[in-house]
Amino acid sequence: MPRNKISVIGAGNVGATAALRIAELNLGDIVLFDVVEGKPQGVALDISQCTALAGFQGTITGTNSDADMAGSDLVIITAGLPRKPGMTREQLLDVNAGIVGPVAKRVAEHSPDAILMVVTNPLDAMCYAAWTQSGLPKERVLGMAGVLDTSRFRLFAGRELGVAPEKIQALVLGSHGDEMVPVISAATVDGKPLTDMLEAEKIQTLVARTQNGGAEIVGLLKTGSAYYAPGFSIAEMADAILNDRKTLLPCSCLLQGEYGQNDVFMGVPAVLSRHGVEKIVEIMMSDEEKAAFDVAAEKIKALQAGLAS
Ligand code: TXD
């Protein structure tokens, strides 16, 4: 079988970290693209020089040319500006839409059969921009955020309980913004309800820290946003897609009737396969969680409408 071709657009912190992790998982040949001359070539060469140490099977190439990405199986868009301290993700809307829209349009031209994973913020609105501009079917456009937000929640909950984060099962849905919805009613610790293990007040602290998880790191770094956990989260989704694992992961997907929402990209549990979004799964939420989910939907719809105007 021919090896997968994976293009990562944007060779910045997130793109480079994702490429390294994808190489470690031996998911295929990687093409790293950026508009800055020398940057993707330098990052690709640096990562390639791990090969003797890490046993990478695929190649890693850096480029400033779209032609080198032609025929990709998976394209990951990380191109765009990250937040600075004090900024919301939504403040990146105009500048990043101006990058993601045209990039996505070109993806449909050079890689018409690709699955397109969007990472740039504000995430859910950028998925919408990529979907409309690329014209790709909705099953093949999805966004990475929920895997990261869920991983953050699992870490904080695990630390609070003194158990390994892998033992915490949870889903963070809704938007990749302040309105994200950790579905506490469905969260478990080794199969037992989280609500039986921690008092409500403590859980609220974990929820707030998760919602603020990105900003906490931006505040510490001061020059940009998180990239190690985002890079791993991208690779987790790439693995599910390229290896046709049919894993259930929280991803930003276009809703058309699911969860009572229409024409909005938001975080929902999705089965990922070689076809992209194989299926959106509708899970039970408490009334309060569903109300928070609907608030997130309205906020994203307003951003999407801002894109069109
Ligand atoms: O959970 C999530 N979805 C996220 C999203 C988690 C972390 C970061 N998230 C967002 O990813 C963040 O808010 C940004 O919007 C993107 C990329 O973050 P990163 O930290 O990687 O930013 P960098 O280091 O500034 O890298 C961006 C690169 C940089 O090399 C630019 O030259 C390049 O994008 N860039 C482009 N590449 C290709 N094509 C175009 N047009 C282009 N414009 C800029």
Side-chain angles (χ1 to χ4, degrees):
M1 221 172 71
R3 270 211 301 265
N4 294 311
K5 180 168 178 178
I6 305 139
S7 290
V8 180
I9 303 184
N13 285 332
V14 175
T17 311
L20 174 63
R21 180 65 177 158
I22 287 168
E24 275 187 292
L25 295 175
N26 284 318
L27 296 182
D29 293 327
I30 302 168
V31 178
L32 201 49
F33 173 96
D34 204 287
V35 284
V36 178
E37 273 179 41
K39 186 172 186 178
Q41 292 86 348
V43 172
L45 189 57
D46 191 4
I47 295 177
S48 300
Q49 289 170 0
C50 299
T51 303
L53 306 166
F56 298 157
Q57 287 157 25
T59 57
I60 304 116
T61 315
T63 185
N64 306 113
S65 160
D66 272 9
D68 291 323
M69 296 190 278
S72 296
D73 299 288
L74 174 66
V75 178
I76 300 161
I77 301 182
T78 74
L81 266 57
R83 283 194 281 176
K84 298 235 166 64
M87 276 178 92
T88 64
R89 295 179 178 94
E90 289 73 21
Q91 285 173 303
L92 296 168
L93 183 79
D94 290 340
V95 62
N96 282 350
I99 294 173
V100 171
V103 161
K105 199 169 178 196
R106 278 160 31 216
V107 168
E109 285 158 16
H110 62 67
S111 301
D113 299 323
I115 291 165
L116 183 53
M117 188 196 305
V118 180
V119 179
T120 309
N121 274 321
L123 191 269
D124 306 286
M126 289 305 104
C127 291
Y128 187 81
W131 175 62
T132 50
Q133 295 296 311
S134 68
L136 291 175
K138 62 173 182 164
E139 296 77 18
R140 288 201 274 125
V141 180
L142 76 173
M144 187 290 289
V147 173
L148 170 65
D149 297 327
T150 302
S151 183
R152 286 178 172 154
F153 181 80
R154 293 170 74 196
L155 173 75
F156 300 146
R159 280 186 177 169
E160 184 62 41
L161 287 160
V163 305
E166 302 96 281
K167 301 276 186 196
I168 315 280
Q169 293 308 318
L171 283 169
V172 179
L173 307 179
S175 74
H176 183 52
D178 296 343
E179 295 76 24
M180 70 180 72
V181 186
V183 185
I184 299 304
S185 60
T188 57
V189 185
D190 235 353
K192 296 181 227 24
L194 179 69
T195 46
D196 290 356
M197 318 269 291
L198 276 180
E199 57 214 45
E201 244 173 58
K202 269 271 172 276
I203 293 178
Q204 244 351 89
T205 314
L206 302 177
V207 167
R209 191 167 181 199
T210 303
Q211 286 165 336
N212 195 46
E216 186 177 357
I217 292 178
V218 171
L220 290 165
L221 293 179
K222 298 186 180 69
T223 53
S225 52
Y227 47 98
Y228 291 112
F232 267 59
S233 303
I234 292 167
E236 177 87 359
M237 288 170 62
D239 175 55
I241 292 166
L242 295 169
N243 286 319
D244 197 33
R245 294 203 191 277
K246 303 198 168 60
T247 319
L248 187 72
L249 292 171
C251 314
S252 188
C253 301
L254 183 72
L255 301 188
Q256 284 181 328
E258 299 89 350
Y259 290 95
Q261 291 293 342
N262 268 304
D263 294 327
V264 60
F265 267 88
M266 51 191 311
V268 288
V271 177
L272 298 192
S273 76
R274 206 71 175 74
H275 301 115
V277 178
E278 181 95 20
K279 186 176 171 200
I280 291 170
V281 176
E282 296 194 57
I283 61 160
M284 293 286 290
M285 285 190 246
S286 69
D287 291 348
E288 210 179 303
E289 287 160 353
K290 181 62 175 56
F293 185 91
D294 290 341
V295 168
E298 293 314 311
K299 182 101 189 253
I300 298 166
K301 282 180 196 166
L303 291 176
Q304 289 182 175
L307 286 171
S309 63

